[in-house]
């Protein structure tokens, strides 16, 4: 039973109730759970008031939901939504359809307590059209929208249809016409292949692997990450590395954050660094952008809008990077109650 005194408005989705607490001293709101299925997060009252405006784009709300859910999945119980996060999420693109479908499949799999379990997501109803019967999702299934970055039931149902076509889930009906989802063995295989538990202590480094950058890494990036309390993963220095593309993707998935340095040589931009930063962003893994000062004007449009650490020497980079990690990457600690 929820204590009525803890019922508040969900700051991301003001039309939904949530359970949480307000800290009058700091002006912060701690949302523990929301009817929308957003997850838990922390937000200052000023930012919450901004989000309560009716003209806030629904797609921004959906992307903020993705941000919170991903941070919760990475171990942060109270990811903070501040002005910087709003700006960052506002510049993000919506997730592509196939990623939204994978997220929805993962949600169904995580909601299954045993293989073969059935999930009740709604009711079958006659829509009066040539298609005949269709699923009507229940209000209790709002998390279906949240995990798939959807705004409407139709979007979520479109993605469910795709999961059915891929044979990753089965959609059926109970005797009382309840709509039931069951994750198939192939569905669990798909989830296992696409999800890796992140290492709370690992920072992945994406950079130009040239000898001229050795001191930048050894005297700048490496000591900054280690002094902030994390281990460093640089893929070309990993022992017994297999196929480097596969290893890179796997290690990014395992990482708490990514440091991406966009310093380049005469042969142009480092395409792999752009890919690795974008891949991490898509997974909701924080990316810290850095670049040597004489190369800032060569940054591509896709990343130029992000706040880069602009450096001139390794020692300067090391201090600024350590400060940025400590300010932006919240250590994963055992969950505590409010």
């Amino acid at each position: 039973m929820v204590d009525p005194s803890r019922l508040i408005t969900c700051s991301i989705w003001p039309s939904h109730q949530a359970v949480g607490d307000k800290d009058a001293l700091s002006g912060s709101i701690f949302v523990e759970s929301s009817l929308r299925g957003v997850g838990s997060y922390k937000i200052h009252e000023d930012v919450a008031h901004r989000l309560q405006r009716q003209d806030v784009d629904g797609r921004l709300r959906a992307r903020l939901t993705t941000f919170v859910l991903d941070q919760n999945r990475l171990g942060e119980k109270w990811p903070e939504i501040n002005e910087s996060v709003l700006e960052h999420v506002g510049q993000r693109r919506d997730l592509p359809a196939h990623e939204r479908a994978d997220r929805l499949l993962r949600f169904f799999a995580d909601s299954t307590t045993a293989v073969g379990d059935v999930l009740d997501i709604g009711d079958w109803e006659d829509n009066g059209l040539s298609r005949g019967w269709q699923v009507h999702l229940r209000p209790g299934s709002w998390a279906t929208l949240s995990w798939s970055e959807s705004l409407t039931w139709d979007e979520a149902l479109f993605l469910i249809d795709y999961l059915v076509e891929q044979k990753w889930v089965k959609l059926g009906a109970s005797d009382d016409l309840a709509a039931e989802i069951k994750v198939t063995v192939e569905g669990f295989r798909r989830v296992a292949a696409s999800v890796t538990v992140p290492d709370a202590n690992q920072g992945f480094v994406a950079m130009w692997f040239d000898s001229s950058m050795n001191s930048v890494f050894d005297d700048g990036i490496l000591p900054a990450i280690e002094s902030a309390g994390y281990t460093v993963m640089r893929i070309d220095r990993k022992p017994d590395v297999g196929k480097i593309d596969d290893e890179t993707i796997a290690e990014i998935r395992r990482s708490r954050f990514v440091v991406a340095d966009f310093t380049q040589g005469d042969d142009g931009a480092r395409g792999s660094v752009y890919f690795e930063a974008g891949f991490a962003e898509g997974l909701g893994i924080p990316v810290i952008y850095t670049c040597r000062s004489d190369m800032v004007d060569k940054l591509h449009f896709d990343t130029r809008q992000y706040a880069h650490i602009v450096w001139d020497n390794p020692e300067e980079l090391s201090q600024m990077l350590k400060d940025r990690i400590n300010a932006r990457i919240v250590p994963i600690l055992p969950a505590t109650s409010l």
Side-chain angles (χ1 to χ4, degrees), residues 195-250:
V195 177
T196 306
V197 177
D199 183 340
N201 298 313
Q202 177 169 294
F204 185 91
V205 178
M207 63 181 296
W208 179 27
F209 297 150
D210 185 78
S211 60
S212 65
M213 296 290 288
N214 285 346
S215 65
V216 175
F217 177 77
D218 294 329
D219 302 324
I221 297 174
L222 176 65
I225 294 176
E226 289 184 339
S227 62
Y230 299 91
T231 60
V232 180
M233 170 52 63
R234 181 171 141 168
I235 199 65
D236 68 320
R237 296 192 181 186
K238 180 181 178 181
D240 302 321
V241 68
K243 185 179 178 183
I244 194 165
D245 291 345
D246 293 341
E247 293 278 357
T248 296
I249 289 174

Side-chain angles (χ1 to χ4, degrees), residues 22-60:
K22 296 182 180 180
D23 184 347
L25 186 63
S26 66
S28 295
I29 302 170
F30 293 83
V31 176
E32 185 175 307
S33 62
S34 166
L35 181 61
R36 180 80 184 199
V38 172
S40 59
Y41 60 93
K42 171 186 176 182
I43 187 170
H44 195 274
E45 285 182 309
D46 291 344
V47 181
H49 289 155
R50 176 179 169 184
L51 283 173
Q52 287 173 357
R53 288 169 24 198
Q54 295 298 315
D55 60 348
V56 174
D57 183 12
R59 299 307 318 177
L60 172 62

Side-chain angles (χ1 to χ4, degrees), residues 82-98:
N82 51 34
E83 293 291 347
S84 177
V85 169
L86 282 183
E87 180 180 0
H88 174 69
V89 174
Q91 292 170 344
R92 278 188 182 181
R93 297 185 178 91
D94 294 337
L95 291 177
H98 68 278

